[in-house]
């Protein structure tokens, strides 16, 4: 992995991350703060965001973290949070659409009342972040990272969550074609099975699912992607644990 620590005298990069209060998002926030970056994190849980902020303050990075409670699929929330980030930090270098979840997502046996929020968060959310962040990213010649999933390449029977991640896979190429002419990079980061709270409510939990990679390992990949030199656009990164066949 390249060294993402800001050069002496250079302004610290600014990254905006949705779903930053737990799992891959929270680990990415911690990793970037540790490298000297400035970070804005959104999330639905005020308690988790407060814990993230407390940990940053304990580590001496409290002034480099902004947190915003709200929904990734709410345009007013996303646009206002991005605008406030640019106002406070003066720029935006990276926008990471990480928020997403699965909710009883089997099209034959699942609960349709739980699907709307999942589809909006997983599909509309990334598009809203691109819309809100692109003006600032054009100025900084920055990068967009859309966190998809191996499920966006490999179907499983009746899996509506998989459909939402196929949409993110398509959005990433759509956005890349748009933004490359502006000098803005776009990366789809598609993890396989990751040991996060995602598995807490699934039958058998993580222990029944098979081999896992850690949120820290996915964060390493994300940092590598945004740390590529200007002019290099890494477009698709699929990261599985050894032993995951699908």
């Amino acid at each position: 992995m390249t060294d993402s620590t800001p050069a002496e005298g250079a302004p610290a990069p600014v990254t905006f991350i949705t779903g930053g209060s737990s799992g891959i998002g929270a680990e990415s926030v911690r990793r970037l703060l540790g490298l000297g970056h400035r970070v804005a994190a959104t999330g639905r849980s005020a308690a988790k965001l407060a814990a993230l902020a407390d940990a940053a303050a304990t580590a001496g990075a409290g002034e480099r973290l902004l947190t915003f409670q709200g929904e990734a699929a709410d345009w007013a929330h996303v646009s206002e949070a991005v605008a406030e980030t640019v106002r406070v930090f003066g720029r935006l270098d990276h926008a990471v659409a990480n928020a997403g979840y699965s909710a009883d997502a089997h099209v034959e046996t699942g609960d349709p009342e739980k699907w709307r929020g999942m589809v909006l968060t997983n599909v509309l959310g990334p598009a809203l972040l691109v819309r809100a962040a692109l003006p600032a990213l054009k100025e900084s010649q920055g990068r967009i990272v859309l966190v998809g999933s191996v499920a966006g390449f490999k179907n499983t029977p009746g899996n509506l969550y998989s459909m939402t991640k196929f949409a993110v896979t398509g959005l990433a190429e759509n956005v890349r074609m748009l933004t490359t002419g502006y000098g803005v990079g776009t990366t789809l980061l598609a993890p396989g099975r990751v040991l996060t709270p995602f598995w807490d409510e699934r039958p058998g939990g993580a222990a029944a699912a098979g081999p896992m990679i850690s949120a820290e390992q996915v964060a390493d990949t994300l940092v590598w992607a945004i740390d590529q030199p200007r002019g290099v656009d890494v477009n698709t990164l699929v990261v599985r644990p050894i032993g995951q066949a699908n």
Side-chain angles (χ1 to χ4, degrees):
M1 187 175 72
T2 53
D3 181 7
S4 188
T5 305
E8 185 175 353
V14 177
T15 301
F16 187 100
I17 302 178
T18 65
S21 61
S22 65
I24 295 168
E27 185 56 41
S28 297
V29 170
R30 288 189 285 267
R31 187 63 52 86
L32 290 167
L33 289 173
L35 291 168
H37 291 220
R38 295 172 288 175
V39 182
T42 75
R44 292 184 295 175
S45 169
K48 290 180 179 179
L49 288 171
L52 193 70
D54 288 345
T58 299
E63 294 184 355
R64 290 188 282 110
L65 176 65
L66 298 176
T67 60
F68 302 94
Q69 183 189 11
E71 295 285 342
D74 182 336
W75 168 244
H77 162 67
V78 174
S79 59
E80 290 167 8
V82 169
E84 180 66 4
T85 299
V86 174
R87 187 191 71 79
V88 173
F89 289 148
R91 61 185 294 127
L92 181 64
D93 298 283
H94 316 117
V96 180
N98 169 71
Y101 67 98
S102 179
D104 204 5
H106 195 283
V107 297
E108 182 180 15
T109 61
D111 181 356
E113 293 299 320
K114 297 179 180 179
W115 294 349
R116 180 180 298 274
M118 177 187 70
V119 172
L120 290 175
T121 298
N122 295 6
V123 180
L124 180 62
L128 293 182
L129 180 58
V130 172
R131 175 66 175 83
L134 192 52
L137 294 176
K138 285 181 181 180
E139 292 187 17
S140 66
Q141 301 280 277
R143 297 184 186 275
I144 296 163
V145 177
L146 304 181
V147 179
S149 172
V150 164
F153 293 91
K154 296 281 190 177
N155 268 302
T156 54
N159 187 346
L160 190 65
Y161 170 79
S162 180
M163 179 280 292
T164 69
K165 291 303 184 177
F166 267 83
V168 175
T169 299
L171 178 65
E173 176 61 8
N174 183 293
V175 170
R176 183 200 68 79
M177 293 175 69
L178 171 70
T179 61
T180 191
Y182 301 139
V184 175
T186 299
T187 298
L188 172 68
L189 174 55
R193 290 191 294 260
V194 183
L195 186 58
T196 70
F198 176 91
W199 301 98
D200 290 352
E201 297 181 4
R202 299 176 73 84
M212 298 271 178
I213 53 177
S214 67
E216 292 87 349
Q217 289 167 323
V218 180
D220 280 343
T221 307
L222 188 151
V223 170
W224 179 84
I226 65 176
D227 197 43
Q228 291 303 300
R230 184 167 293 183
V232 175
D233 197 11
V234 176
N235 301 129
T236 304
L237 295 168
V238 179
V239 184
R240 290 179 176 91
I242 294 291
Q244 180 178 347
N246 66 318

